[in-house]
């Protein structure tokens, strides 16, 4: 984004400045909490870090979701491609709902992941959480898809990606209720990917909508780098992306077994 | 010491390059984002300052505790390395 669409990057990161500071703080607190939670024996210490871990982990999908929703909903952007709104302008109804959608999906996804990866009491609790969240998640995704259609003024007929999001969360609901951990996790993975992807399919070829004037919309054309930079980027991505995917896949393969609570 | 030297090196390059943000190509004053206000920048600096100050205190406390415990040979050697349980 930084190298391929500098115009988009500049407007987004300047306009969403405070929101992204919050996102970064959430990511820092979350990462640190996982590391420190176990360092001192004591209920108070543990409770504090559990609280911070939860707060940080909730902040991340919520802020990301609001930011993603705002891309499609539109924020004040002038003819000079500069963000012209305030921090409060970022809290659009659709943006906030996108944030809620992503947060609920993350909760469900975390529950299905834990159910797949753990055993004993933690696994039972993850199962219970998944069963409780899967219906709300399904309803939220369904509402999100139709709201997305209406924001994009695309009519009632959903596109394939949006259909995939709805079907995936329905499949996850079936798998959760029948206790199939692997299928449940696959379902929530696909639901998450398709939900985010559906936003971008509605956006294309725009990348950031201007609520001031549709003539000021940022698109893949008016924010892209020069052809040479794009060519270099494509080659780099084609070479490096498979490497990243392979080592990510490898780490999951190494830690593929279930873990148990007793050490 | 490594932390201090690392940070000092960074400060040196950033300050030494001024007034350029990209040496010979773009001045720092031309690279300022017009839609980010001074207040917003101040908020972010204070927020990160507080966050890192808090984390520094926590890290210092943990390191001190760890160092105080010392290395108790009986505790260290007799215990086998914790094994991964699946």
């Amino acid at each position: 984004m930084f190298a391929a669409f500098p115009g988009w990057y500049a407007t987004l990161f300047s306009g969403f400045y405070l929101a992204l500071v919050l996102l970064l703080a959430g990511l820092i607190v979350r990462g640190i909490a996982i590391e420190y939670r176990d360092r001192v024996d004591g209920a108070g210490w543990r409770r504090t870090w559990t609280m911070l871990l939860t707060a940080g982990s909730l902040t991340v999908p919520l802020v990301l979701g609001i930011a993603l929703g705002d891309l499609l909903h539109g924020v004040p952007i002038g003819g000079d491609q500069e963000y012209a709104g305030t921090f409060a302008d970022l809290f659009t109804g659709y943006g906030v709902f996108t944030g809620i959608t992503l947060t609920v999906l993350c909760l469900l996804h975390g529950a299905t992941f834990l159910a797949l990866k753990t055993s004993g009491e933690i696994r039972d609790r993850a199962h219970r959480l998944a069963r409780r969240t899967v219906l709300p998640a399904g309803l939220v995704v369904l509402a999100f898809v139709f709201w997305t259609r209406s924001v994009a003024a695309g009519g009632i007929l959903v596109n394939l990606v949006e259909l995939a999001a709805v079907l995936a969360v329905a499949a996850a609901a079936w798998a959760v209720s029948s206790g199939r951990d692997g299928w449940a996790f696959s379902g929530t993975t696909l639901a998450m990917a398709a939900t985010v992807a559906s936003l971008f399919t509605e956006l294309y070829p725009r990348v950031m909508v201007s609520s001031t004037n549709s003539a000021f919309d940022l698109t893949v054309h008016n924010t892209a780098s020069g052809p040479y930079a794009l060519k270099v980027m494509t080659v780099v991505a084609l070479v490096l992306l498979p490497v990243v995917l392979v080592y990510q896949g490898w780490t999951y393969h190494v830690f593929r077994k279930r873990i148990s609570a007793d050490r | 010491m490594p932390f201090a030297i690392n940070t000092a090196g960074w400060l040196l390059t950033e300050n030494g390059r001024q007034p350029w943000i990209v040496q010979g190509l773009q001045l720092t004053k031309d690279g300022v984002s017009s839609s980010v206000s001074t207040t917003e920048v101040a908020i972010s600096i204070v927020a990160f300052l507080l966050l890192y100050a808090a984390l520094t205190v926590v890290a210092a406390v943990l390191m001190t505790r760890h160092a105080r415990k010392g290395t108790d040979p009986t505790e260290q050697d007799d215990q086998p390395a914790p094994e991964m349980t699946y």
Side-chain angles (χ1 to χ4, degrees):
Chain A
M1 186 175 167
F2 164 68
F5 301 103
W8 180 24
Y9 175 85
T11 309
L12 178 65
F13 277 68
S14 299
F16 292 6
Y17 188 79
L18 284 183
L20 294 175
V21 168
L22 189 64
L23 175 67
L24 209 50
L27 284 169
I28 292 171
V29 168
R30 194 192 115 83
I32 291 289
I34 295 173
E35 184 71 24
Y36 282 176
R37 192 170 162 268
D38 217 20
R39 288 296 163 91
V40 176
D41 289 325
W45 174 271
R46 217 178 160 77
R47 206 167 40 238
T48 308
W49 286 110
T50 305
M51 212 174 64
L52 287 171
L53 175 59
T54 313
S57 302
L58 281 176
T59 308
V60 173
L62 195 64
V63 174
L64 267 181
I66 294 175
L68 285 174
D70 281 347
L71 295 183
L72 182 63
H73 176 276
V75 284
I77 296 173
D80 54 355
Q81 294 200 345
E82 286 286 356
Y83 181 74
T86 61
F87 180 60
D89 288 336
L90 297 177
F91 293 90
T92 60
Y94 175 71
V96 172
F97 191 72
T98 310
I100 293 171
T101 309
L102 272 200
T103 309
V104 174
L105 269 179
C106 281
L107 196 63
L108 177 63
H109 190 53
T112 57
F113 181 70
L114 279 181
L116 181 67
K117 293 294 290 181
T118 59
S119 52
E121 202 218 322
I122 295 182
R123 189 174 169 209
D124 295 339
R125 282 172 59 192
H127 274 145
R128 275 202 298 278
L129 180 64
R131 273 199 297 273
R132 269 208 298 270
T133 25
V134 77
L135 186 65
L139 294 176
V140 164
V141 168
L142 198 64
F144 170 79
V145 163
F146 284 107
W147 199 344
T148 303
R149 286 307 280 176
S150 96
V151 167
I156 197 78
L157 218 63
V158 299
N159 69 29
L160 281 178
V161 183
E162 290 157 349
L163 186 66
V166 174
L167 290 181
V169 79
W174 164 79
V176 164
S177 63
S178 56
R180 287 165 210 262
D181 293 343
W183 284 110
F185 179 69
S186 311
T188 55
T189 308
L190 186 62
M192 185 98 77
T195 302
V196 175
S198 66
L199 210 137
F200 284 95
T201 57
E202 295 292 356
L203 264 174
Y204 190 82
R206 302 164 299 171
V207 287
M208 201 170 171
V209 174
S210 166
S211 59
T212 318
N213 186 334
S214 62
F216 301 157
D217 286 354
L218 304 187
T219 67
V220 287
H221 308 293
N222 68 14
T223 60
S225 306
Y228 178 70
L230 290 178
K231 261 181 223 150
V232 173
M233 281 288 297
T234 310
V235 173
V236 171
L238 281 179
V239 173
L240 289 185
L241 195 62
V243 178
V244 174
L245 287 177
V246 164
Y247 78 66
Q248 283 283 347
W250 191 15
T251 54
Y252 279 103
H253 179 74
V254 168
F255 293 104
R256 66 192 171 280
K257 290 184 177 159
R258 280 186 191 280
I259 53 170
S260 61
D262 44 74
R263 300 186 212 189
Chain B
M1 276 310 276
F3 285 122
I5 292 170
N6 205 332
T7 311
W10 198 357
L11 283 174
L12 189 75
T13 52
E14 292 295 325
N15 287 312
R17 204 186 46 239
Q18 299 306 325
W20 298 100
I21 194 160
V22 182
Q23 184 72 43
L25 284 177
Q26 190 182 28
L27 288 170
T28 305
K29 66 174 162 61
D30 298 331
V32 175
S33 176
S34 59
S35 54
V36 179
S37 68
T38 316
T39 325
E40 287 180 321
V41 176
I43 291 173
S44 68
I45 290 177
V46 172
F48 283 124
L49 201 70
L50 290 177
L51 186 59
Y52 277 102
L55 290 178
T56 308
V57 172
V58 174
V61 167
L62 283 177
M63 277 193 239
T64 318
R65 281 174 64 106
H66 194 71
R68 282 239 178 84
K69 257 191 223 161
T71 47
D72 186 358
T74 53
E75 206 178 83
Q76 289 271 311
D77 294 336
D78 291 351
Q79 278 189 347
E83 271 178 58
M84 284 281 260
T85 49
Y86 290 118

